[in-house]
């Protein structure tokens, strides 16, 4: 069992007192924006019949990148229709208001960036850059999106014609920024885990490096072992943090 349940009022008090705040976000922070949880019952893989074993497998991509780009066209088109959630915006306002805050995210949807947060570590990468797998030329995410709209199939490197791959972390690739993320957690006096069931490593290991208390706000079960100073709220994020912000 967790040491205690957490209320928005208690959470607000802990955020107010925090001098170094670390935040870990998972798919659950983006579901209210309309981003499907890839692995959930209504996930994109199920509804659109994408198979994660092929879409995000680097070995498969090397042989046939077409399924990944089918997914990516749909995913980027979907992102154009949505906006950051109230919880993304709340975190950005905390930072803008002078709070020392760093955000580690498992998401590749770019919503923290669009919300205005500055100190973000996307451990699974994102679509903001891409590079040619043959010559290494870097392509901006905007240029990649434009070429995906302009022509069907797999986009080719403008320099050498090789296959371009967005800087999204695939199965079989190392996550980004892990050392920085672990240091961020260790130096923090409060770690908020938002919308993650902590089922996927290495994100799941980050709370174990926390230097202070940990508050997990997530709908549903969480894979975190009991410990002193670990609090859980089984709650909808936007509602919970509206309650938090009104008390700050
Ligand atoms: Zn190239």
């Amino acid at each position: 069992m967790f040491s205690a349940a957490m209320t928005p009022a208690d959470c607000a008090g802990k955020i107010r007192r925090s001098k170094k705040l670390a935040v870990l976000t998972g798919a659950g922070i983006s579901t209210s924006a309309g981003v499907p949880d890839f692995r959930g019952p209504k996930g994109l893989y199920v509804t659109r019949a994408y198979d994660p074993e092929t879409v995000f497998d680097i070995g498969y991509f090397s042989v046939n990148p077409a399924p990944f780009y089918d997914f990516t066209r749909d995913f980027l088109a979907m992102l154009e229709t949505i906006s950051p959630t109230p919880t993304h915006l709340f975190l950005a306002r905390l930072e803008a208001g002078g709070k020392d805050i760093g955000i580690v995210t498992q998401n590749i949807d770019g919503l923290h960036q669009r919300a205005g947060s500055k100190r973000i570590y996307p451990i699974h990468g994102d679509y903001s850059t891409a590079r040619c797998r043959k010559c290494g030329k870097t392509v901006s995410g905007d240029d990649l999106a434009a070429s995906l709209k302009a022509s069907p199939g797999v986009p080719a490197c403008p320099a050498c014609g090789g296959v371009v791959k967005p800087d999204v972390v695939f199965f079989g690739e190392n996550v980004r920024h892990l050392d920085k993320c672990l240091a961020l957690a260790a130096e923090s006096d409060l770690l908020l885990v938002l919308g993650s069931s902590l089922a996927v490593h290495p994100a799941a290991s980050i709370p174990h490096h926390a230097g202070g208390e940990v508050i997990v706000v997530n709908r549903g079960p969480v894979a975190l072992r009991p410990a002193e100073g670990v609090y859980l709220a089984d709650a909808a994020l936007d509602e919970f943090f509206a309650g938090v912000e009104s008390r700050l």
Side-chain angles (χ1 to χ4, degrees), residues 132 134-137 157 159-162:
C132 173
K134 200 167 156 193
C135 76
K137 181 182 170 62
C157 170
C160 78

Side-chain angles (χ1 to χ4, degrees), residues 58-177:
I58 193 63
Y60 191 92
F61 182 89
S62 302
V63 177
N64 180 13
F68 170 78
Y69 275 108
D70 289 343
F71 165 84
T72 291
R73 274 194 178 77
D74 275 1
F75 186 69
L76 295 183
M78 182 272 299
L79 288 182
E80 286 184 0
T81 69
I82 64 169
S83 302
T85 68
T87 305
H88 288 103
L89 296 170
F90 165 70
L91 294 173
R93 279 195 294 272
L94 274 183
E95 187 176 15
K99 184 66 82 179
D100 184 339
I101 177 174
I103 300 172
V104 178
T105 186
Q106 298 173 266
N107 301 334
I108 60 171
D109 54 34
L111 290 179
H112 285 298
Q113 291 86 334
R114 284 168 60 189
S117 287
K118 303 292 180 218
R119 195 166 163 220
I120 309 164
Y121 303 99
I123 52 174
H124 293 158
D126 59 33
Y127 279 97
S128 63
T129 53
R131 67 195 70 236
C132 173
R133 299 198 77 207
K134 200 167 156 193
C135 76
K137 181 182 170 62
T138 300
V139 177
S140 78
D142 289 345
D143 287 349
L144 180 75
S147 69
L148 286 173
K149 278 182 183 168
S151 53
V154 176
C157 170
C160 78
V163 171
V164 173
K165 178 188 166 294
D167 291 333
V168 170
V169 174
F170 280 39
F171 298 122
E173 292 187 308
N174 292 324
V175 299
R176 310 279 159 87
H177 320 295

